[in-house]
Amino acid sequence: MLISVFFALLATPARLVSVTDGDTFRARIGGETVRVRLYGINAPERDHPLGSFATRRLEEILPREAIVVPLGTDPYGRTLAWVAAGPWNVNERLVETGAAWWFRRYAPHSERLRSAEKRAKSAGQGVWNDASPLPAHRN
């Protein structure tokens, strides 16, 4: 309960500007355009196998208006965030549909992402349909 209240206080309305790749987008937040990196996931880069699939999936899931819960910034100055769009947690939905991997190194205790990846892997979704579904990073 306390965690839900904490996230509700941090939640910020955002308007989509553009999708960069499967785990990053630009949005207008409070009159400023910011780069948002989805927390706890890693999607294939645009020029990698399934990169265009991951980018399209984020474009499909992320509406023009979303809720961003910032958690900090990454080394590239992007806002790390959980993102909600309608009924979905966008981060979780991308992992669940096989468009991204759970990034264990940065979100080691995320039960939601662990469960989403398990469902995608069991169903052979997206990146898990590949003969050797290894992310570009080390988990």
Side-chain angles (χ1 to χ4, degrees):
M1 174 72 168
L2 183 58
I3 291 173
S4 296
V5 172
F6 175 72
F7 280 131
L9 292 172
L10 293 176
T12 306
R15 181 159 181 75
L16 178 65
V17 172
S18 63
V19 171
T20 306
D21 58 28
D23 55 29
T24 307
F25 64 94
R26 291 174 7 135
R28 296 283 298 167
I29 300 174
E32 180 183 352
T33 299
V34 298
R35 292 179 304 151
V36 178
R37 172 68 159 79
L38 296 166
Y39 171 77
I41 73 168
N42 194 23
E45 301 302 323
R46 277 185 181 260
D47 60 343
H48 291 171
L50 295 175
S52 59
F53 163 73
T55 302
R56 277 193 320 275
R57 194 71 187 120
L58 179 55
E59 289 170 341
E60 292 167 4
I61 293 171
L62 192 60
R64 299 304 281 163
E65 304 287 333
I67 299 297
V68 173
V69 179
L71 301 172
T73 55
D74 72 4
Y76 304 102
R78 299 175 295 189
T79 299
L80 291 170
W82 285 109
V83 177
W88 292 317
N89 172 306
V90 174
N91 313 49
E92 180 182 351
R93 188 76 177 136
L94 288 167
V95 172
E96 183 175 58
T97 61
W101 295 276
W102 166 33
F103 210 161
R104 289 172 184 79
R105 180 175 169 195
Y106 294 108
H109 305 293
S110 177
E111 181 59 33
R112 293 182 76 149
L113 294 176
R114 185 195 68 74
S115 295
E117 185 172 270
K118 185 177 179 182
R119 289 189 300 274
K121 193 173 185 178
S122 294
Q125 298 266 29
V127 297
W128 299 105
N129 192 24
D130 190 24
S132 56
L134 298 175
H137 67 278
R138 294 201 171 140
N139 279 320

